[in-house]
Amino acid sequence: LPIQNFDDQNYLLFVTKNGLIKKTNLKYYSNPRKAGINAISIKGNDELIQVRLTPGFLEFMVATKKGLAMRFNEKDVRSSGRNSSGVRGIKIRKDDEVIGIEVALLNGSLLTVTENGYGKRTDIEEYRLIRRGGKGVINIICNERNGDVIGIKTVKDEDEIMLMSKNGIVIRIPARDISKVGRNTQGVRLMRLEDDKIIGIARVVANNHNNS
């Protein structure tokens, strides 16, 4: 979503490692100082994971490294000031953490990729819409074969996906070539690895698909 102006129609949506979500009107960032300004209050061992620009009425998918995901409407997150820390978005287990947040396009699918090179696509409609603060549902099975989840992307069939490994290997594959299966599954091999791990994914957006 492009930034047209710093007005009441646009928001920044923040998500942290420990599952907090914060929405702040974009107008509060219209006069930044040279040294920067506080955007969110981070407490304890928490970390900022991702920030999305939003018009304030979208549905989002938030996912964790242990294979859980939650679909919620951002209208459930009240707008707050720059110095606030946000509210609970997803309830995180002791050994888990948030790895990403994506717009939930009902005509798209959620791509989930694990560190050992496996992944899958699942229709967004398979994730029921719930209020923020829940534990989420199973998104992908995380086991010894798959490892932990490293990223999610909302994709359409015409998009392409780039996978990047810790050792500097990159591959590019059409999204339509990735199997579309249910939530409670392991997925299929996307990238063959030898003493390596996937550390990042990126979407190569089709010309008629403007969601980033």
Side-chain angles (χ1 to χ4, degrees):
L1 296 173
I3 298 178
Q4 301 295 336
N5 47 53
F6 291 92
D7 58 23
D8 293 340
Q9 305 304 313
N10 293 307
Y11 297 84
L12 291 180
L13 190 70
F14 301 78
V15 63
T16 74
K17 180 181 72 173
N18 291 343
L20 295 182
I21 292 177
K22 173 189 168 181
K23 184 169 70 175
T24 302
N25 197 293
L26 194 60
K27 67 182 180 182
Y28 294 117
Y29 304 93
S30 59
N31 295 304
R33 305 182 185 94
K34 289 184 177 180
I37 56 177
N38 291 330
I40 182 174
S41 177
I42 300 294
K43 299 178 180 179
N45 68 339
D46 207 359
E47 298 175 11
L48 181 61
I49 296 299
Q50 200 168 351
V51 183
R52 300 302 301 260
L53 178 65
T54 168
F57 51 80
L58 300 179
E59 292 181 5
F60 282 89
M61 298 291 308
V62 59
T64 77
K65 76 173 186 179
K66 293 301 182 182
L68 297 178
M70 184 185 74
R71 175 181 158 202
F72 71 98
N73 194 305
E74 64 171 303
K75 291 181 180 179
D76 291 341
V77 183
R78 60 178 177 81
S79 180
S80 58
R82 289 191 295 104
N83 292 321
S84 65
S85 57
V87 295
R88 175 180 287 175
I90 183 171
K91 188 179 295 183
I92 296 295
R93 298 174 181 174
K94 185 179 298 184
D95 62 341
D96 205 357
E97 62 187 54
V98 170
I99 51 85
I101 186 169
E102 284 285 302
V103 177
L105 296 176
L106 294 183
N107 58 349
S109 57
L110 185 70
L111 170 69
T112 304
V113 178
T114 68
E115 61 183 348
N116 291 339
Y118 293 86
K120 66 182 179 70
R121 291 186 299 148
T122 301
D123 286 332
I124 296 293
E125 293 180 348
E126 289 207 22
Y127 304 85
R128 69 182 186 275
L129 185 66
I130 63 175
R131 293 187 64 84
R132 66 162 183 84
K135 294 184 294 184
V137 296
I138 295 176
N139 177 35
I140 191 171
I141 296 174
C142 290
N143 51 23
E144 185 175 356
R145 187 199 79 160
N146 280 3
D148 291 335
V149 177
I150 59 92
I152 58 170
K153 292 292 178 185
T154 303
V155 298
K156 292 185 176 182
D157 286 348
E158 58 266 30
D159 294 334
E160 295 183 335
I161 302 299
M162 297 187 71
L163 306 177
M164 292 145 279
S165 80
K166 183 174 62 175
N167 291 341
I169 306 299
V170 175
I171 65 169
R172 179 171 173 173
I173 55 178
R176 62 169 55 91
D177 288 353
I178 301 173
S179 297
K180 187 183 290 186
V181 294
R183 292 188 296 101
N184 194 9
T185 55
Q186 295 186 80
V188 297
R189 187 192 298 274
L190 304 181
M191 184 175 183
R192 191 171 298 276
L193 303 170
E194 295 183 9
D195 298 321
D196 202 357
K197 298 286 185 182
I198 292 183
I199 61 169
I201 61 176
R203 179 178 53 245
V204 181
V205 184
N207 290 336
N208 62 345
H209 181 190
N210 295 320
N211 175 57
S212 59

